[in-house]
């Protein structure tokens, strides 16, 4: 290790301990994502740096116990608990036993806590701070645990896992209405931007969509709050607590756009993340007691700025990339498909494949500024009509013009950028393991995650024992049973 | 900007000024390159961290004046001079005027200086520290300027630009023997590992190959020194100077392997860079006066660890990458082609395309451990027989098995990792512009690059004036000439 610039390491130094921690997780934000957004802002807003550029302190390695390429569940669990686990695990260890999390430990110490996300609040990242299940897709169970977690601020999407099965759009398989249950516990429930903005006290449960919030590029600002607005409101609520606060903010959909290889949606959600970071940093600079750490869980998509297109096209695209192509795009791939579907509905009976391709071409012209489709590109569109492949055909059309590459619809193993500001910042430097980030945050906040883990394990064992004896009692003694 | 951890900024603080600077440039080393090498070393050597991991302090943005995707000339010029310029420029500005460089300014201040590289010493990166030409391919002119640069240690490849045109393999177009000229200036000339190892005094010109040194994966350690050996020897020579030293070490061929999409060669050259960093850091830890900075000029190849191969192959390759595939590879693509050529020479008259494919398959079995070629892969090989495309066919065979992606045969724009250790380290943090790195190094070493630039410009203007008057005198007054 390098000799510390500041003289002494400081985890034990109270003067350097933060009262509050804001942990940002820009899900799926890789090193190239940062360059992409900065290059764009330099060209279109004359801003040479991202809000977090000056506070980069190193990078983080993200492998899980089951793969060199982590998923968001194992990635978030590492930050939330300081323990590596398998892909798919939500705050449980490799033996599926619950692990104490920063949020629950902070809650236990009387601090205010919050979670602000743009995905379903039951998605892997927020779930790993506020619930314990062996498999990330158990989102109904996650929701039920989340309203018991004690979090003072819960903002995001995912209402479908909170409504009883009888409600339209619900994904629950039981009759529980978790929104009512939350209200009974004292939560105010809000479901749109105005409702959130008018709040002045917590606790609050804000669910602004049945599933994920809209991509920033598609968002109606009158209906859904931005990540920056949610962050600002959440900070105003949790900062009233004299015992300090722990807040996790996830720019969730940076990842989803990566999975869809949707460069413009990826870019605009990164810019929304950047704006939320500005809000948090402004807050931290003002109070002087707040540590802000931002670190992705993994990269998504294998994004590269630059792509070898000359070899196929006779176009020398190497040594360039063109943000202006993304600047012309006015909707996510999903929004474009909605527009295509609307056009299909108006095609006359007996419409030909050419008519269908024309419908896609019209949407590309209107929403992506692409008016120069080649015959080969029209043929590609025709081949993927009516299939999900159309998504990647459109991606390719846009990204070839932007000279951008993607190599996967999944994640990659590349180290992610580490940013930190505030008291305790000197502990975040160099290339760190993702579990170290969680461990150090716990130490700086005086949270004993091991003790909480022990409590949770005991609780689980008692519950299992109780369930077992209930089952035994119900089924009665069974001769010859093991 | 974050409040400095160390209290006061220190560029003006002599106590924090380094006596010596070692600047490492791992050419073409992107963020994924670091992850790749660490994952490999963790598996095969039980080493969890790279030598530089604990000293990462941020990242660097690399765009040039002519493109968001820089080349090595503009990239190295930014570090060498603190000035952004166009792709292709070697230590000249956008008006092609010479720029003062760290190496020449250090030389002018009486410091010892050195350059250690694995490419031709006349290649863009070392050229940008030791010569001034408007176009990187002017390597004969670069060589001539390099032996005038005053550098005390010059180690690398590129002998073909130092030998007179009459010599076998020379690329010069004149009769100058720059090796003899260097000897006349007091340089000892060496051309193999033993010659270098036996040296105890500089100045030294060591040229170990006509062109680039071999890739680490192909290197014969009895003939060519490793990057770590060259670094160690160079440090032992320049550190004798009481006035301090400036040394630039380039892991040049990390980039070349990226251009070739040759993952195993890329990996092994990164490991060689890591070993050279260990040598430098050991040195710096011992003397306490040496600042080590390591920063790439740009990423090459668009490397991603993870790749979406299931959609074509029915194989779910997402969420994994496999270093064991690269572990089995025993030579660079170039070495494999040499082996293929040797087999071709032994094919009987009337050999079929199948025989040729079999020759390639035998080499892949022997040198890459690939014994499971599919019919489709054999067809790909057959289609690219006799063409340079065979390189990328082989790349694809290996990288699909490793679940690695490449998106380009050129560079990409992604920010590169910044590493720093030693006195003055606190100046290297956050995401910096590449020119800031050069500026801060100059400031820490008390080098006035602007003054040197002014001198060089005056010199150039005088030379041009002299050449003009010589031309005028030779051609005589010409009535009616402009």
């Amino acid at each position: 290790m390098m000799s510390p610039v500041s003289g002494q390491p400081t985890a034990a130094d109270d003067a350097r301990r933060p009262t509050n921690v804001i942990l940002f997780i820009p899900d799926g934000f890789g090193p190239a994502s940062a360059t992409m957004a900065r290059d764009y802002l330099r060209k279109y807003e004359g801003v040479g740096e991202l809000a977090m550029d000056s506070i980069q302190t190193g990078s983080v390695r993200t492998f899980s116990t089951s793969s060199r390429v982590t998923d968001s569940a194992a990635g978030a669990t590492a930050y939330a608990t300081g323990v590596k686990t398998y892909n798919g695990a939500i705050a449980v260890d490799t033996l599926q036993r619950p692990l104490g999390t920063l949020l629950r430990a902070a809650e236990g110490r009387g601090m205010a806590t919050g979670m602000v996300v743009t995905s379903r609040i039951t998605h892997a990242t927020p779930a790993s701070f506020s619930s314990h299940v062996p498999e990330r897709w158990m989102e109904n169970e996650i929701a039920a645990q989340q309203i018991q977690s004690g979090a003072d601020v819960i903002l995001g999407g995912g209402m479908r896992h909170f409504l009883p099965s009888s409600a339209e759009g619900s994904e629950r398989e039981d009759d529980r209405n978790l929104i009512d249950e939350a209200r009974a516990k004292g939560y105010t429930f809000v479901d749109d931007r105005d409702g959130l903005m008018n709040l002045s006290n917590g606790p609050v449960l804000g669910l602004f969509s049945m599933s994920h919030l809209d991509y920033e590029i598609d968002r109606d600002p009158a209906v859904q709050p931005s990540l920056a607005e949610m962050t600002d409101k959440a900070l105003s609520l949790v900062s009233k607590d004299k015992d300090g606060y722990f807040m996790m903010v996830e720019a969730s959909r940076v990842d989803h756009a990566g999975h869809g290889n949707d460069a413009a949606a990826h870019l605009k959600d990164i810019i929304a993340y950047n704006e939320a970071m500005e809000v948090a940093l402004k807050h931290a600079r003002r109070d002087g007691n707040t540590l802000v750490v931002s670190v992705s869980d993994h990269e998504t998509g294998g994004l590269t700025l630059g792509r070898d297109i000359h070899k196929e096209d006779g176009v020398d695209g190497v040594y360039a990339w063109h943000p202006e192509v993304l600047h012309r795009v006015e909707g996510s791939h999903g929004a474009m498909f909605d527009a295509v579907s609307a056009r299909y509905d108006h095609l006359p009976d007996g419409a030909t494949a050419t008519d269908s391709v024309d419908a896609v071409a019209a949407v590309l012209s209107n929403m992506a500024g692409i008016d120069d489709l080649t015959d080969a590109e029209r043929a590609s569109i025709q081949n993927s009509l009516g299939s999900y492949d159309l998504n990647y055909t459109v991606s390719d059309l846009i990204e070839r013009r932007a000279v951008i590459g993607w190599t996967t619809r999944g994640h990659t193993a590349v180290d992610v950028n580490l940013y930190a500001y505030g008291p305790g910042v000197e502990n975040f430097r160099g290339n760190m393991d993702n579990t170290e980030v969680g461990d150090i945050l716990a130490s700086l906040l005086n949270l004993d995650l091991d003790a909480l883990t022990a409590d949770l394990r005991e609780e689980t064992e008692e519950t299992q024992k109780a369930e077992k004896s209930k089952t035994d009692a119900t089924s009665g003694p069974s001769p010859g049973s093991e």
Side-chain angles (χ1 to χ4, degrees), chain A:
Chain A
M1 274 293 287
M2 62 192 297
S3 57
V5 171
S6 57
Q8 297 300 318
T10 55
D13 175 357
D14 278 348
R16 290 210 176 261
R17 282 184 193 276
T19 309
N20 315 306
V21 166
I22 307 172
L23 174 61
F24 270 81
I25 302 183
D27 197 307
F29 174 82
S33 307
T35 314
M36 175 191 247
R38 188 187 314 107
D39 281 355
Y40 182 89
L41 291 177
R42 190 169 65 246
K43 182 172 176 73
Y44 289 103
E45 302 190 13
V47 178
E49 298 209 331
L50 301 175
M52 48 274 187
D53 273 343
S54 70
I55 63 163
Q56 187 179 352
T57 61
S59 62
V60 165
R61 44 189 186 267
T62 63
F63 64 93
S64 73
T65 61
S66 56
S67 176
R68 290 179 187 88
V69 180
T70 190
D71 82 327
S72 292
T77 297
Y79 297 136
T81 72
V83 177
K84 273 204 200 287
T85 188
Y86 59 94
N87 287 5
I90 301 293
V92 297
D93 66 13
T94 52
L95 300 176
Q96 305 196 337
R97 298 173 302 189
L99 293 164
T101 72
L102 291 172
L103 185 138
R104 295 197 58 182
E107 196 57 42
R109 233 203 59 198
M111 297 172 71
T113 60
M115 300 192 294
V116 172
V117 308
T118 49
S119 64
R120 298 190 296 271
I121 194 76
T122 50
H123 216 238
T125 304
S128 298
F129 286 82
S130 52
S131 69
H132 313 272
V133 297
E135 175 44 65
R136 58 185 291 177
W137 302 118
M138 299 167 67
E139 292 187 56
N140 292 329
E141 170 61 19
I142 289 167
Q145 292 189 27
Q146 286 179 317
I147 60 162
Q148 303 290 339
S149 69
D152 302 282
V153 176
I154 301 178
L155 302 178
M159 210 188 308
R160 69 190 199 188
H161 299 290
F162 290 77
L163 293 173
S165 59
S166 55
E168 195 185 325
S170 167
E171 292 277 330
R172 290 200 69 80
E173 294 173 351
D174 59 24
D175 294 330
R176 287 178 71 177
N177 184 326
L178 299 183
I179 294 171
D180 285 346
E181 292 184 31
R183 282 196 181 107
K185 286 176 156 295
Y187 281 91
T188 302
F189 175 72
V190 295
D191 64 1
D192 64 10
R193 182 183 176 279
D194 286 349
L196 179 68
M197 291 297 126
N198 292 332
L199 267 182
S200 49
N201 285 295
V204 57
L205 172 66
L207 300 174
F208 308 102
S209 174
M210 292 301 280
S211 180
H212 306 305
L213 271 64
D214 288 337
Y215 282 120
E216 180 63 21
I217 199 170
D218 299 330
R219 183 174 64 89
D220 178 347
V223 178
Q224 291 183 358
S226 70
L227 186 63
E229 287 170 338
M230 290 194 288
T231 302
D232 197 34
K233 175 58 73 175
L235 286 173
S236 77
L237 297 176
V238 295
S239 61
K240 293 178 180 177
D241 195 314
K242 296 286 175 245
D243 298 314
Y245 61 83
F246 172 79
M247 193 157 85
M248 192 284 292
V249 180
E250 185 194 29
S252 320
R253 306 212 69 195
V254 172
D255 171 66
H256 302 167
H259 282 289
N261 293 181
D262 187 338
H266 187 69
L267 170 65
K268 294 299 170 70
D269 265 55
I270 294 166
I271 292 173
Y273 152 58
N274 190 49
E275 288 167 358
M277 280 292 289
E278 273 172 15
V279 167
L281 288 169
K282 192 170 161 190
H283 204 92
R285 286 192 184 100
R286 203 167 42 216
D287 77 22
N289 301 316
T290 302
L291 171 66
V292 180
V293 172
S294 178
V295 60
S296 179
D297 47 357
H298 54 75
E299 196 269 352
T300 303
L303 173 67
T304 72
L305 304 169
R307 167 178 176 166
D308 206 12
I309 65 168
H310 70 302
K311 62 180 186 281
E312 301 145 35
D313 296 342
V315 178
D316 191 353
V318 183
Y319 300 97
W321 89 268
H322 304 298
E324 52 274 26
V325 173
L326 304 186
H327 189 64
R328 288 193 288 265
V329 177
E330 292 174 2
S332 67
H333 291 176
M336 287 190 224
F337 298 144
D338 289 347
V340 168
S341 297
R343 282 182 179 260
Y344 279 168
D345 289 346
H346 294 94
L347 288 181
D349 285 347
T352 64
T354 304
D355 295 328
S356 298
V357 172
D358 284 345
V360 176
V363 169
L364 285 170
S365 174
N366 287 345
M367 295 183 70
I370 294 180
D371 291 311
D372 58 351
L373 289 178
T374 65
D375 290 345
E377 289 174 332
R378 289 182 58 94
S380 289
I381 291 170
Q382 189 166 332
N383 286 336
S384 53
L385 282 173
S387 128
Y388 191 62
D389 285 347
L390 184 57
N391 182 64
Y392 296 98
T393 302
V394 166
S395 172
D396 202 52
L397 292 174
I398 294 171
E399 275 92 57
R400 293 178 83 82
R401 285 165 174 77
V403 194
I404 284 175
W406 299 96
T407 62
T408 177
R409 302 172 190 186
H411 303 165
T412 72
V414 66
D415 300 341
V416 292
N417 293 351
L418 174 64
Y419 305 98
Y421 170 85
V425 64
E426 61 279 7
N427 297 283
F428 299 91
R429 61 189 342 161
N431 178 271
M432 304 174 72
D433 190 80
N434 55 3
T435 57
E436 291 181 80
V437 173
D439 280 340
I440 293 171
L441 289 175
S443 160
L444 287 171
L445 287 176
N446 271 325
L447 303 177
D448 190 343
L449 296 184
D450 289 341
L452 178 55
T453 297
D455 289 350
L456 289 169
R457 200 177 295 178
E458 201 172 322
E459 226 172 77
T460 311
E461 282 162 9
E462 275 166 22
T463 310
Q464 285 169 345
K465 212 178 292 176
E467 274 169 13
K468 190 171 178 301
S469 70
K470 207 163 66 180
T471 314
D472 291 350
T474 312
S475 55
S478 151
S481 72
E482 294 162 19

